[in-house]
Amino acid sequence: MKPPSKLLWALEVPRGAWGLASLAGGRATLAQAPRGDGRAILLLPGLFNGDASGVFLRRYLRGLGYRAEGWGLGRNLGARTIGPDGARLFARIRALHDETGAPVTLVGVSLGGIMARFAAHRLPGMVREVVTISSPFAGDPRATNVWRAFELLTGERVDAPHVRAQSALVAKPLPVPSTAIWSRSDGLVNGMICHDAASRAIEVRSSHIGVQVRPAVLLAVARVLGGEAT
């Protein structure tokens, strides 16, 4: 598969800004969500982003009645942030699991979604469910316009043996329920590698930048967590 077109890539920033602006008129849409059940939800940000990027999603889920938490690890710089084998992320999940006495739901954006899937494979019994948002877990990382940025920011090469091994694990069907929210008009990653046959797939129309603030995406996440079909 190929990366998104140069046109979609060039339109990412203005489309992302429009997505943020759409929040102002999205109250009626967001009000359709089912109420939460108090479970713990850990939000994992995308490449180079931190908890600030998920503030709207976090506040929305808390307002519905979930215990939505940021990951608290700073900017997502891949292994530089979570450790070569994910130890810092796993410790965060274990701590939340031990504190609540229940498996943790993981919601990850882009690279954060890939990490969520990795954690679900590596921490059996501690992860309840995984929701990925525009996460290119199901194909060649070069089918994106950001793989060079990934290498620069994380210090890892996409063709390195350990990166390939982790990617192969991430692409395997998860041992827990999984949902993939994706867009075929994504300008940074090919939407077709953001979902697979083993996960429930929910298509939205969105840019990659700011996808997590789109009312349609927020509502889709809430409906998945609430057990509603979308």
Side-chain angles (χ1 to χ4, degrees):
M1 293 187 182
K2 297 180 179 180
S5 69
K6 292 182 179 179
L7 175 60
L8 283 176
W9 190 5
L11 291 174
E12 272 292 308
V13 171
R15 291 178 69 208
W18 172 252
L20 180 59
S22 69
L23 269 179
R27 290 186 179 180
T29 297
L30 297 177
Q32 301 172 26
R35 297 296 303 176
D37 58 6
R39 86 185 74 159
I41 300 172
L42 191 63
L43 305 181
L44 282 60
L47 180 65
F48 197 63
N49 286 312
D51 286 334
S53 66
V55 64
F56 293 107
L57 178 56
R58 189 163 63 251
R59 288 177 179 173
Y60 178 54
L61 294 179
R62 286 177 177 173
L64 292 175
Y66 295 102
R67 178 178 172 175
E69 303 278 353
W71 75 342
L73 299 177
R75 289 191 181 276
N76 189 346
L77 301 178
R80 286 175 169 166
T81 299
I82 68 171
D85 198 36
R88 297 189 189 100
L89 173 59
F90 298 166
R92 179 72 173 98
I93 295 171
R94 287 191 184 98
L96 194 53
H97 171 272
D98 293 346
E99 182 181 346
T100 61
V104 179
T105 295
L106 304 179
V107 178
V109 179
S110 195
L111 178 59
I114 291 174
M115 291 175 169
R117 290 181 61 92
F118 184 56
H121 279 297
R122 295 291 300 274
L123 299 176
M126 292 191 183
V127 175
R128 170 175 175 164
E129 182 177 10
V130 171
V131 180
T132 60
I133 303 172
S134 299
S135 300
F137 65 86
D140 188 343
R142 288 188 173 84
T144 75
N145 287 315
V146 293
W147 67 269
R148 291 183 179 86
F150 169 87
E151 292 190 335
L152 177 64
L153 292 170
T154 67
E156 296 192 306
R157 298 186 61 82
V158 296
D159 57 356
H162 73 282
V163 174
R164 286 183 174 274
Q166 290 179 350
S167 297
L169 177 63
V170 165
K172 291 182 178 180
L174 294 182
V176 297
S178 59
T179 300
I181 299 172
W182 67 285
S183 171
R184 70 179 70 240
S185 61
D186 192 312
L188 295 188
V189 304
N190 188 320
M192 302 310 293
I193 65 171
C194 294
H195 61 100
D196 62 7
S199 301
R200 174 166 53 170
I202 300 174
E203 184 179 0
V204 296
R205 184 172 180 80
S206 176
S207 56
H208 191 91
I209 294 175
V211 63
Q212 71 274 19
V213 303
R214 295 266 181 172
V217 174
L218 270 65
L219 181 60
V221 171
R223 283 181 165 169
V224 169
L225 299 178
E228 291 188 357
T230 57

